[in-house]
Amino acid sequence: MILVTGATGALGTLIAKRLADRDDTVLGTREPRRFEAPLPVRRIDFDDPDTLITGFQGVDVLLMISAGYGEDDTVIARHGSAIDAAQKAGVRHVVYTSLTADGDHLPYALPHRWTERRLQQSAMGWTILRNGLYAELLAWLAAPSEDGRITAPLGKGRLAAVARADLADAAVRVTVEAAAHAGHIYELVGEQAIGGTDLAHAHGPHVAYEPETLAQARSRIAASGAKPFQVPMLVGTYSAIAAGFMSRTGGDLRQLLGREPRSALAAALA
């Protein structure tokens, strides 16, 4: 049996749709009563260990989508509880959606690396999908205003963004063929590096890119009502892109997909 956690998230929803015709797959979510899906649904809440003990029963392959919404200690506790429960329940293989290696400069990298290490030290088989940042995230980080300006502290940096749909396709392929991917770490970044100027040009001649400073971005994000932990996460993302640490393209995405990846720029505009 395959279990997909985080099935109501953006990535999890795409994965669930791709697995909808399988009779060996169940979905996990915190609020199953509010989730309509053609597949069986179990209550899986990383903050409630009791749901993990019962939810992982009978599962052979666990696709563990990162529960990264929170401070580092919160995320580590969630992932630790999930891995402990999976091992006790007899799960044979865990596929984990991690963060690209170049993302070590991002503020939220530490829980991913901790989880990778914890999986590698477990008695279970494992596969790590080091996902690049979504093209859709870049579109949100550098969205044009009503007056046609993209204001973001990206400098001249670019991001090897990846379409979320491609990451879903790769995750599905690895999960249904888990044994063939045991012990592998895959780098899943895009093949096209995109910057603020690229986004502006793609939107058309009426849109201009106007870089701002990180201090200006921090003030803007804090004033938007973001939660305290979200401010450094977003500012740090801008900073890593602007400094050129997130622009390396290539990796294993094309190999896993068996085709050319989707255009990250098209995904960002969509």
Side-chain angles (χ1 to χ4, degrees):
M1 180 189 298
I2 294 170
L3 172 67
V4 181
T5 67
T8 55
L11 180 62
T13 298
L14 291 176
I15 292 170
K17 289 179 180 178
R18 286 155 171 76
L19 294 171
D21 60 348
R22 297 183 64 92
D23 59 6
D24 63 346
T25 301
V26 296
L27 307 177
T29 176
R30 287 186 172 190
E31 299 179 292
R33 294 181 180 177
R34 298 178 57 183
F35 184 46
E36 296 183 4
L39 294 170
V41 180
R42 295 182 179 182
R43 182 167 180 259
I44 301 290
D45 185 346
F46 283 18
D47 292 324
D48 184 349
D50 288 341
T51 69
L52 304 178
I53 294 172
T54 58
F56 291 163
Q57 292 297 319
V59 174
D60 300 304
V61 178
L62 170 64
L63 173 53
M64 180 175 155
I65 297 177
S66 171
Y69 188 77
E71 299 282 5
D72 285 356
D73 56 349
T74 299
V75 178
I76 286 173
R78 289 170 178 165
H79 290 179
S81 293
I83 293 170
D84 288 345
Q87 194 162 261
K88 290 177 181 177
V91 173
R92 295 204 299 261
H93 194 110
V94 178
V95 179
Y96 173 61
T97 61
S98 188
L99 178 68
T100 174
D102 287 342
D104 279 348
H105 296 280
L106 296 169
Y108 36 91
L110 189 147
H112 286 291
R113 302 298 174 247
W114 183 94
T115 304
E116 291 182 7
R117 184 181 64 186
R118 177 67 183 84
L119 277 174
Q120 291 168 337
Q121 293 172 344
S122 76
M124 299 178 289
W126 53 267
T127 308
I128 294 168
L129 306 178
R130 285 183 168 172
N131 290 348
L133 297 186
Y134 303 154
E136 294 84 354
L137 171 64
L138 180 61
W140 181 78
L141 291 173
S145 61
E146 292 183 0
D147 60 356
R149 291 182 298 162
I150 292 179
T151 304
L154 296 174
K156 296 181 179 179
R158 285 183 164 82
L159 172 66
V162 57
R164 188 186 286 119
D166 279 346
L167 295 177
D169 288 342
V172 167
R173 179 170 184 179
V174 169
T175 300
V176 300
E177 304 170 354
H181 301 279
H184 286 273
I185 299 176
Y186 294 111
E187 284 289 336
L188 304 181
V189 297
E191 296 185 351
Q192 178 184 20
I194 303 170
T197 300
D198 302 310
L199 282 172
H201 288 168
H203 278 288
H206 62 289
V207 176
Y209 168 54
E210 298 181 2
E212 65 179 342
T213 67
L214 290 173
Q216 289 170 328
R218 186 180 297 275
S219 297
R220 172 172 55 81
I221 295 167
S224 72
K227 294 185 177 181
F229 74 87
Q230 292 176 315
V231 178
M233 288 176 68
L234 293 171
V235 173
T237 300
Y238 281 127
S239 181
I241 296 172
F245 285 105
M246 303 298 296
S247 62
R248 182 166 53 177
T249 58
D252 303 305
L253 185 61
R254 182 182 288 258
Q255 170 196 342
L256 280 186
L257 294 176
R259 59 167 173 79
E260 180 181 358
R262 293 172 172 86
S263 164
L265 191 56
L269 292 180

